[in-house]
Amino acid sequence: MTDRPTRRGASRYNKTPPSRKSQSHWFRNSFIILIGIGAFFLFTYLGYLDYYVRTQFEGKRWAIPAHVYGNPVELYAGRSLSAEKFENLLEMLHYRKDSELAAEGTYFRNGGQISVKTRTFTFWDQPDPQPGVAMRVDFSESGIAGITDLTNNQNLAIARMDPVQIGSFYPTIKEDRILIKLEEAPELLIKGLLASEDRDFYDHFGVSLRGILRAMVANIQAGDMVQGGSTITQQLVKNFYLTSERKLTRKMKEALMALILEYRYSKNEILEAYLNEIYLGQDGASAVHGFGLASQFYFGGPLKDLSLEQMASLVALVRGPSEYNPRRFPERALQRRNLVLDEMAAQEYITEAEATAAKARPLAVIENTHRSANRYPAFLDLVKRQLKQDYREEDLTSEGLRIFTTLDTQIQDTLEETIKRKLPQLEKQPKARDLESAVVVTRRDSGEIAALASGRDDSSAGFNRALDAVRPIGSLIKPVIYLTALQYPRRYTITTPVSDSAIFVKGDNGNNWSPKNYDNREHGTVGLHTALAKSYNLATVRVGMDIGVGRIAKTLKDLGVDRKVELYPSFLLGAAQLSPIEVTQMYQTLAGDGFLTPIKGIKAVVSASGERLQSYPYTVRQTVDPSSTYILNTILQEVMHAGTGAAAYSVFPQDYGLVGKTGTTNDAKDSWFAGFTGDYLSVVWVGRDDNKPAGLTGATGALPVWTAFMRQISKQPVNLTPPDNIKIVRIDPYSGLLAPPDCPYGKTYPYIAGSEPTAYSACGNPVFEQDRPWFEEFFPQSE
C-alpha cells in the first residue's frame, strides 16, 4: 500500500518525452487541417466571386439613362427658317463642318446654301431607320427656297432632321453610354486596342505573364509608362466590378475575377463588354463610358464614320482619360495617339505609310458641348412627371428608354431670350422689383407644348413656377363667365345689354362684398361684348350672379381644369388660384373652338432596342358648345383691338385676328396674359415670388412679354370659322337692334341662330349703349 504514492509521483514527474516521429505526425496533421481550412475558404471565396461575376455579367450589366429628345425639325420649301437658324440647329445637333460631306453628321455653308449629310436615325413613328441623306438647302429672305438631293440632283419635298437630345434621366451613379455590338465596332478600332492594350488577348486566359514582362521592358527602355501589363480582361474587371485603388489585395482579386471571366465567357463576349464599359472621359457630372458614346462626345459622330487617326485617339484615352484628354492636353493626346498608330504599324495592322499620313492629321475633336446636360430643366420636369404616370423611377434611369417630346428648341431659346430681355425693362417701373415669370407655349392645333419657362433663369433646376406656382388668375376667369352665359342664348347674346353699376353681395357670417371697377367708375348699361372687352368688374359680377357660380365652375371643369375651386362670389373676379399650365389648358380649349385637347409634352417612348412602348396620340373631345366658344373668341378679338390687349397691335398687323385676355389681381400682385394666334397659344405670368405688389397690370406686365415673344414665332393669323348654326347679322351698336341697310353705323355680330334681333333700329338713336361704340375706341385700357 505504501508504494502507490511513489508510483503516482513517478508517473507525474518522470514521463517519457514524445518522440520526433510523433511531433512530425502532429505538425503534418495540423498543416493538412490548415490547408483544408484555407482551401475551404478559398473555394468558398472563388464560388462567391464566380457567382458575383456571373450575376453582374449576365444580368442587367448597365444602368442606361433615358435619353430625351426634342421635336424633330422638318424642312420644306416655304418654311420660314433662315440659314443662320438652320446652322444653329446643326451646331446643337453637333454636326461637324466638312466640305466633302465625307460622313453622316457633317455640313458646310456657302452663302445662302447649306449642304448637309444627315444622320441615320430611328424615329418613333417609323418601323425602319431613316437613312442619312446628302442634300443642299437653298435659302431666300423669307426662308427655305428649295431642297435638293445631292445623290440624284432631284428636288426633295420634305426632309426630317434627327432630333436634338435635350437631356437625360440618370441613375444615382451618373454614367452614360451608347451600347454597340461587337460586329458594329470598326476593325481598325479593335486592332488598335489589341496593338496598344493586349496583343495576346486571344491567347491568354485572363492574365498574361508575357504581357507583364513585355510592358516592363518597354517602360524601362522608354523611361516612361508607355505600355500596361493588364490584359483587356483585367481592365474590364477593374472598370466593371472594382474600384481603382492601388492595393495588392485588389490586384489579386482582379486577377482571380479575370480568370473566372475567361473560364465562363468567350473572348468575343468579353471584348464586346469591354467596348461598352471602359471609362473614356467626363462630361460635367456624367461619366462617359464605352467607345460608342466617346465617339459622339469627342468627334460628334458614330464609330462607323471615324477615320483611322480618330479611332487611334479613342484608343489612346484608355490609358488615362484625364491625362490624355484631347481638349485639355492636346499635345500629350497627340503624342499618345501617334504612339498607338506606331504600335498598329508594328503589328502590321496598318502600313507605315498609313500611319505616317494619319499622324500628320490634327486631333480634330469637337468643342465640349456637354451632351448630357439637361438644357431645359423646367420642361424636363414636366416630362418626368408625365412619364411617372406610366413608368417607375428605375425604368426611367436604367432601361435606356428613348423619349421623344414636343419641345421646339428654337422656340424655347427664343422664349428664354425674350424673358431675359423684357423683365429688366419692366423693372424700370416704380414698384416692379425682383420680377419672375412663367410661360407655357402650345401648338394651337394639337395642344403640344412647344416651350415652357419657369423663371428668368431657366438654365438650372428649382421651383417650377409654370407647373407649381398657384396664383390668383384675376380677369382671366371672365371669359369663362361669359362663355357660360352665352350657352343660354335666350338670355344672353353678344349684344345683350348688361348693367355695369354698383352691386352689393351679402355673404355668410357678415362677409359682405361690394366689388369695384379698376377705374372706380360705373359705366351704366353696356353691351355684353363691351363688358368683357373692357373687363368691367361690376357687369361681370352681375352676369355671373345671374348665371350662377356653380354653373361657371362646371364650365371651368369642362375647359379642362380639374382643380377644386371655392364657390364664393369673389370667384367671379379671379380669386380662384391656378397654375400657369392649368390656365394654358383652359385657354387651349377655347383656342380649340370648344374641343378639349389635353396639353402634352411627350410624343412617344421607345425602348433601347427600338420597340415602341408608349405613344401619346392626339386626342380631342367636345366639352363646350362650339357656337358659344366662337362668339366668345370674337369678343376676345375685340379685347385685342379695342380693349385691354390693344397694345399688341403696335407690333402685329391690324388684320392678324389676335385672341386674348389680360388678368390683374388685387394690389397688382399678379400680371397675366393668355392669348393665341393662328399657330400658337401662350400664357404668361409676371409677378414676385414674395407675393408683394409688382405694380403691373396684365396690360403693362405680361402682355409686353407675350407680344414680344409671339411676334417672333407666329407665322399664321387667326381665322375663326363659324359653326353652321352661327348667323352673322348687321347690328346698330347704339341700339342693339338690326341696322337698316342705309345705316352707316352698322356692325356685324355673330349669334346662335334664333337668338339674333328681329326688329330694326332707328339708325343712330341710343337705346342702351352709354359709352362710345367699341369700334371707335382703338386705344389700350387698363383693368
Side-chain angles (χ1 to χ4, degrees):
M1 298 295 292
T2 57
D3 62 345
R4 285 185 179 178
T6 303
R7 287 197 297 274
R8 192 178 295 117
S11 64
R12 180 180 298 174
Y13 300 110
N14 299 314
K15 285 184 177 180
T16 304
S19 66
R20 292 180 178 271
K21 184 176 181 180
S22 62
Q23 286 182 334
S24 175
H25 180 73
W26 182 86
F27 280 117
R28 185 174 69 252
N29 290 341
S30 298
F31 183 69
I32 291 173
I33 292 173
L34 288 175
I35 289 178
I37 293 173
F40 172 78
F41 281 108
L42 176 61
F43 281 106
T44 300
Y45 182 63
L46 288 175
Y48 161 73
L49 288 182
D50 179 66
Y51 173 79
Y52 179 62
V53 167
R54 288 187 292 109
T55 300
Q56 292 292 102
F57 200 85
E58 295 173 4
K60 186 188 296 182
R61 300 185 189 178
W62 298 288
I64 310 297
H67 293 156
V68 188
Y69 297 91
N71 196 46
V73 172
E74 293 184 339
L75 309 176
Y76 51 86
R79 172 164 183 158
S80 180
L81 179 70
S82 67
E84 289 72 23
K85 287 191 174 182
F86 183 53
E87 188 168 17
N88 290 339
L89 171 66
L90 294 174
E91 291 173 355
M92 289 183 68
L93 288 167
H94 314 300
Y95 276 50
R96 295 179 291 110
K97 291 183 179 180
D98 180 4
S99 60
E100 302 296 325
L101 299 182
E104 293 183 356
T106 56
Y107 81 99
F108 70 91
R109 180 175 177 180
N110 182 16
Q113 296 179 335
I114 295 182
S115 298
V116 58
K117 190 168 188 179
T118 63
R119 297 191 183 110
T120 300
F121 193 87
T122 303
F123 291 92
W124 72 94
D125 54 356
Q126 296 177 350
D128 300 313
Q130 174 183 284
V133 59
M135 62 184 180
R136 185 185 70 245
V137 185
D138 296 294
F139 293 88
S140 64
E141 292 184 1
S142 59
I144 297 177
I147 308 173
T148 305
D149 188 332
L150 295 178
T151 57
N152 55 25
N153 206 32
Q154 298 291 318
N155 290 332
L156 279 175
I158 191 168
R160 196 185 212 183
M161 299 296 299
D162 45 308
V164 175
Q165 183 179 334
I166 61 174
S168 301
F169 296 138
Y170 288 97
T172 304
I173 301 175
K174 296 193 72 174
E175 297 180 352
D176 201 358
R177 51 177 59 76
I178 296 175
L179 298 182
I180 61 171
K181 296 180 180 179
L182 182 60
E183 56 267 25
E184 296 172 344
E187 184 180 0
L188 286 176
L189 176 69
I190 302 298
K191 290 180 175 178
L193 277 172
L194 297 178
S196 175
E197 299 300 320
D198 194 351
R199 297 178 188 176
D200 306 321
F201 175 69
Y202 284 101
D203 298 321
H204 62 65
F205 295 98
V207 179
S208 174
L209 295 178
R210 185 168 60 179
I212 294 173
L213 294 174
R214 183 171 57 245
M216 290 176 59
V217 172
N219 294 338
I220 293 172
Q221 291 176 343
D224 195 7
M225 285 290 296
V226 296
Q227 286 189 20
S230 295
T231 65
I232 281 178
T233 311
Q234 287 176 280
Q235 291 180 38
L236 174 60
V237 167
K238 183 176 68 174
N239 275 266
F240 198 61
Y241 299 102
L242 305 175
T243 65
S244 57
E245 62 178 345
R246 296 177 177 271
K247 288 185 178 180
L248 179 61
T249 54
R250 190 204 66 79
K251 197 68 178 175
M252 293 175 61
K253 185 176 181 181
E254 174 189 296
L256 289 173
M257 295 176 78
L259 292 171
I260 292 171
L261 264 183
E262 291 276 353
Y263 176 75
R264 290 290 187 185
Y265 304 102
S266 69
K267 289 288 186 179
N268 285 347
E269 288 177 304
I270 293 171
L271 185 57
E272 183 177 88
Y274 178 88
L275 292 172
N276 288 302
E277 174 59 27
I278 191 70
Y279 172 68
L280 294 173
Q282 196 72 26
D283 182 14
S286 175
V288 177
H289 284 262
F291 286 94
L293 181 60
S295 176
Q296 296 282 356
F297 181 61
Y298 291 106
F299 299 108
L303 277 171
K304 65 183 181 63
D305 292 336
L306 296 191
S307 60
L308 170 60
E309 66 273 9
Q310 289 173 327
M311 284 185 277
S313 292
L314 293 183
V315 172
L317 289 166
V318 171
R319 193 57 53 84
S322 298
E323 183 178 1
Y324 298 109
N325 186 326
R327 296 189 180 106
R328 294 186 60 194
F329 308 110
E331 293 184 2
R332 193 184 298 169
L334 188 67
Q335 182 180 11
R336 177 66 193 167
R337 181 203 72 176
N338 291 345
L339 180 60
V340 171
L341 291 168
D342 286 338
E343 290 176 341
M344 292 178 71
Q347 294 299 307
E348 297 183 351
Y349 291 140
I350 59 175
T351 65
E352 290 290 347
E354 288 173 327
T356 301
K359 288 192 290 184
R361 300 188 184 101
L363 290 172
V365 295
I366 62 174
E367 294 183 8
N368 191 351
T369 51
H370 292 290
R371 300 179 59 84
S372 59
N374 291 335
R375 297 188 54 189
Y376 310 111
F379 178 79
L380 288 169
D381 182 26
L382 167 72
V383 170
K384 196 166 189 178
R385 294 189 198 191
Q386 293 186 346
L387 285 172
K388 282 185 176 180
Q389 299 175 17
D390 301 305
Y391 297 92
R392 299 173 301 170
E393 177 76 18
E394 62 186 83
D395 295 331
L396 298 180
T397 58
S398 64
E399 296 290 347
L401 301 179
R402 300 166 70 217
I403 301 159
F404 295 93
T405 73
T406 61
L407 185 79
D408 186 316
T409 57
Q410 294 185 331
I411 291 179
Q412 177 71 32
D413 291 341
T414 300
L415 174 60
E416 293 180 6
E417 292 166 5
T418 302
I419 292 173
K420 290 178 181 178
R421 184 178 75 254
K422 294 299 294 185
L423 290 191
Q425 294 176 10
L426 296 177
E427 287 175 335
K428 294 178 181 179
Q429 301 184 48
K431 295 183 180 180
R433 296 287 183 271
D434 303 319
L435 295 180
E436 279 295 352
S437 183
V439 183
V440 182
V441 186
T442 63
R443 297 178 180 89
R444 183 190 168 197
D445 61 347
S446 65
E448 294 179 341
I449 298 175
L452 182 146
S454 68
R456 66 195 301 163
D457 181 13
D458 212 31
S459 61
S460 58
F463 179 59
N464 196 328
R465 296 174 185 84
L467 307 184
D468 300 325
V470 181
R471 309 284 293 229
I473 64 173
S475 293
L476 292 187
I477 196 64
K478 289 178 180 175
V480 184
I481 298 169
Y482 288 91
L483 176 62
T484 308
L486 289 167
Q487 294 181 69
Y488 299 90
R490 292 179 179 272
R491 294 166 61 182
Y492 289 99
T493 69
I494 190 170
T495 55
T496 296
V498 295
S499 176
D500 186 63
S501 58
I503 181 172
F504 181 84
V505 181
K506 190 174 182 179
D508 297 334
N509 302 321
N511 295 323
N512 300 324
W513 184 48
S514 181
K516 303 291 183 183
N517 277 327
Y518 184 83
D519 58 5
N520 290 314
R521 293 173 52 204
E522 298 177 27
H523 303 91
T525 302
V526 298
L528 182 136
H529 63 92
T530 301
L532 177 54
K534 300 297 182 64
S535 202
Y536 291 157
N537 291 341
L538 300 178
T540 300
V541 171
R542 287 185 176 275
V543 172
M545 294 298 292
D546 181 50
I547 291 296
V549 176
R551 288 175 175 171
I552 296 166
K554 180 183 181 302
T555 300
L556 182 65
K557 185 175 181 62
D558 291 340
L559 291 171
V561 177
D562 292 325
R563 184 182 297 272
K564 184 178 180 180
V565 295
E566 299 292 339
L567 301 183
Y568 297 125
S570 58
F571 166 76
L572 301 173
L573 293 183
Q577 299 188 34
L578 300 177
S579 65
I581 199 163
E582 288 174 316
V583 174
T584 304
Q585 181 63 77
M586 176 171 69
Y587 276 82
Q588 180 69 41
T589 307
L590 297 180
D593 302 319
F595 289 84
L596 173 62
T597 303
I599 59 177
K600 62 178 183 178
I602 309 171
K603 286 180 176 289
V605 178
V606 177
S607 71
S609 62
E611 178 187 359
R612 185 169 175 171
L613 301 177
Q614 188 85 19
S615 62
Y616 297 80
Y618 172 74
T619 60
V620 61
R621 59 189 175 92
Q622 181 184 332
T623 57
V624 182
D625 176 37
S627 301
S628 302
T629 306
Y630 173 81
I631 296 173
L632 176 74
N633 285 336
T634 62
I635 302 176
L636 294 180
Q637 287 182 319
E638 185 177 331
V639 169
M640 302 304 293
H641 260 303
T644 56
Y649 277 109
S650 62
V651 296
F652 276 94
Q654 290 293 313
D655 61 351
Y656 215 72
L658 298 175
V659 178
K661 183 70 184 76
T662 54
T664 309
T665 59
N666 291 340
D667 301 322
K669 292 180 179 179
D670 301 276
S671 172
W672 291 90
F673 186 82
F676 59 89
T677 60
D679 41 9
Y680 294 102
L681 176 145
S682 62
V683 172
V684 178
W685 169 85
V686 175
R688 294 176 54 157
D689 286 338
D690 59 11
N691 204 33
K692 292 182 179 180
L696 299 170
T697 66
T700 61
L703 178 60
V705 176
W706 184 93
T707 303
F709 167 66
M710 293 290 277
R711 188 68 186 99
Q712 296 178 76
I713 69 165
S714 179
K715 307 302 178 185
Q716 298 177 17
V718 178
N719 292 306
L720 297 177
T721 303
D724 292 340
N725 65 333
I726 287 291
K727 188 172 183 180
I728 309 294
V729 297
R730 195 163 175 266
I731 298 296
D732 176 1
Y734 286 99
S735 66
L737 301 177
L738 294 175
D742 58 348
C743 181
Y745 305 114
K747 173 70 176 179
T748 57
Y749 290 98
Y751 294 84
I752 295 176
S755 67
E756 71 276 10
T758 56
Y760 282 89
S761 73
C763 181
N765 292 330
V767 174
F768 63 82
E769 178 63 64
Q770 296 184 6
D771 284 347
R772 287 180 296 168
W774 68 265
F775 56 84
E776 294 180 5
E777 302 182 30
F778 289 99
F779 54 87
Q781 301 288 321
S782 297
E783 293 187 56

